[in-house]
Amino acid sequence: MISDAQPLVSIVIPMRNEKAYIDRCIQTFVQQTYPLEQLEIIIVDGQSTDGSREIVEELGKLYPVKLLDNPTGFTPTGMNIGLQSAQGEIGVVFSAHATAHPDFIKNSVQALKTTNAAAVGGRLINRSSGEFAKLAGKVLGHPFGVGNSKFRYSDTPDYVDTVAYGAYRMDVLKETGLFDERLIRNQDIELNYRLRKLGHTLYFDPAIESYYAPRENFTRFVQQGYGNGYWNIITARLCAQSLSWRHFVPLVFVLALLGATLLAIFTSPWWLALVAGPYLLLDLLVSARLAGSLPEFFQLVFLFPSLHISYGLGSLISLVKQIFTGVDKP
């Protein structure tokens, strides 16, 4: 149980070369409706070289912002460094690439009190001023793009299997063992699985809003998809139960495309039509619904399969490496 009416909340933000984002990220916590004196903002820097550290140091002169070092540069290590130094009764793990609604902390604390969940989280809304990032946000904010990731599109409060940018009861979090530092990605999904395995619950409340800046160009967009797919296989090897079916749909799709292509070459082209046809139809329908103009429609039609194929290829290549070499790194 949360003991105080307004408990101290520690916000841990791992960072590496986030000069373009870190100031606005911190400012959204400084401007919370929750009392500033009950907030502890911990930035854990993973060897930044772009001036991010200097920005944090200047903000630390004005606000309760602490800067720590992460010599490894890896995200889960940075998360653990921050959480181990945190003094709060509640710990929030956030991203330097995101911002928070002014009521983010207030609503998170309230949800923890009313549900007695181990962790709560809310809607992750894609928001950016860049034209490509806006399109990427539409892809990442629709079930066709991301499957049943409720934190990206749902408006219904519910108990869930994972939360984004969660607010955790610190006693439970430390009892669970913090983040698995072997996982460069999916470390939150794996941690949330361990929480559920111990009998704890996680709660999704759409009133808890945060805003994420999608990748700003096509190359980084598909690189992110590839990396996510790649690390799913490593995560599955370490803790398969932490992942759901949605994490492997792109891999199945890519395998089906490859198999249908081979069958089309050696037998009949109808095999490829059988696999690609239904997908393309759904792609066209969803893109038409989301597009605000004809050029945007054609870009969305291209971006959905770009995400799914890059994600699936990442999983396939990682699987091949795991089987034949045991190599974990991309």
Side-chain angles (χ1 to χ4, degrees):
M1 295 290 291
I2 304 301
S3 61
D4 190 49
Q6 292 181 319
L8 179 66
V9 179
S10 300
I11 303 156
V12 175
I13 307 172
M15 169 188 82
R16 185 176 186 181
N17 292 334
E18 294 286 359
K19 181 179 180 180
Y21 299 98
I22 191 61
D23 179 80
R24 69 179 187 179
C25 175
I26 293 174
Q27 292 291 348
T28 61
F29 286 109
V30 169
Q31 297 164 14
Q32 289 288 301
T33 55
Y34 199 79
L36 183 59
E37 63 271 17
Q38 290 301 104
L39 293 179
E40 176 188 40
I41 304 171
I42 303 172
I43 311 298
V44 188
D45 180 50
Q47 309 286 296
S48 292
T49 58
D50 68 342
S52 300
R53 289 183 63 91
E54 290 74 12
I55 293 173
V56 176
E57 288 168 351
E58 287 301 311
L59 290 171
K61 297 175 183 177
L62 303 173
Y63 307 114
V65 178
K66 182 192 302 183
L67 179 63
L68 301 179
D69 288 313
N70 171 16
T72 72
F74 295 130
T75 299
T77 304
M79 292 172 171
N80 287 346
I81 289 171
L83 290 169
Q84 286 162 353
S85 74
Q87 301 298 309
E89 193 174 348
I90 295 171
V92 173
V93 182
F94 211 71
S95 167
H97 223 68
T99 55
H101 186 280
D103 292 330
F104 180 90
I105 297 296
K106 182 185 75 173
N107 290 343
S108 295
V109 172
Q110 183 61 30
L112 280 172
K113 288 182 177 180
T114 56
T115 64
N116 200 33
V120 298
R123 282 285 304 276
L124 178 57
I125 300 171
N126 296 296
R127 179 176 293 180
S128 176
S129 57
E131 290 304 315
F132 180 85
K134 288 179 181 178
L135 288 171
K138 290 186 177 184
V139 172
L140 297 171
H142 194 277
F144 180 56
V146 294
N148 66 340
S149 298
K150 289 186 177 181
F151 62 84
R152 290 192 179 273
Y153 59 82
S154 178
D155 293 318
T156 305
D158 197 5
Y159 289 93
V160 292
D161 60 353
T162 193
V163 291
Y165 303 151
Y168 295 84
R169 287 167 46 199
M170 193 67 79
D171 58 339
V172 175
L173 190 58
K174 290 185 176 179
E175 170 201 341
T176 308
L178 303 182
F179 291 94
D180 188 333
E181 296 184 9
R182 296 173 297 175
L183 294 173
I184 305 304
R185 305 194 191 191
N186 293 337
Q187 62 279 143
D188 54 339
I189 295 173
E190 189 275 337
L191 172 66
N192 292 334
Y193 164 74
R194 277 186 281 130
L195 285 171
R196 300 196 319 275
K197 189 177 180 181
L198 290 172
H200 299 293
T201 57
L202 298 95
Y203 191 75
F204 168 80
D205 184 347
I208 305 169
E209 286 189 6
S210 57
Y211 311 101
Y212 182 77
R215 296 301 183 254
E216 63 275 8
N217 59 58
F218 178 76
T219 300
R220 296 196 67 186
F221 177 73
V222 294
Q223 285 176 341
Q224 183 182 39
Y226 177 91
N228 288 339
Y230 192 100
W231 277 93
N232 279 351
I233 301 302
I234 299 172
T235 306
R237 179 174 64 81
L238 297 175
C239 184
Q241 303 96 320
S242 64
L243 299 176
S244 73
W245 61 268
R246 72 171 181 268
H247 294 99
F248 302 102
V249 170
L251 172 60
V252 173
F253 176 58
V254 166
L255 288 173
L257 279 179
L258 291 173
T261 300
L262 289 174
L263 287 171
I265 292 172
F266 294 107
T267 59
S268 168
W270 286 106
W271 283 105
L272 188 57
L274 185 65
V275 173
Y279 177 89
L280 180 58
L281 178 60
L282 189 56
D283 184 16
L284 292 169
L285 290 173
V286 172
S287 298
R289 184 174 182 180
L290 295 178
S293 65
L294 189 60
E296 191 171 287
F297 165 74
F298 287 113
Q299 291 177 82
L300 288 171
V301 167
F302 178 70
L303 285 180
F304 275 111
S306 296
L307 171 64
H308 297 149
I309 291 172
S310 62
Y311 197 114
L313 281 175
S315 293
L316 179 59
I317 291 171
S318 181
L319 181 62
V320 171
K321 285 186 177 181
Q322 290 288 305
I323 293 172
F324 292 104
T325 69
V327 174
D328 283 351
K329 299 299 181 183

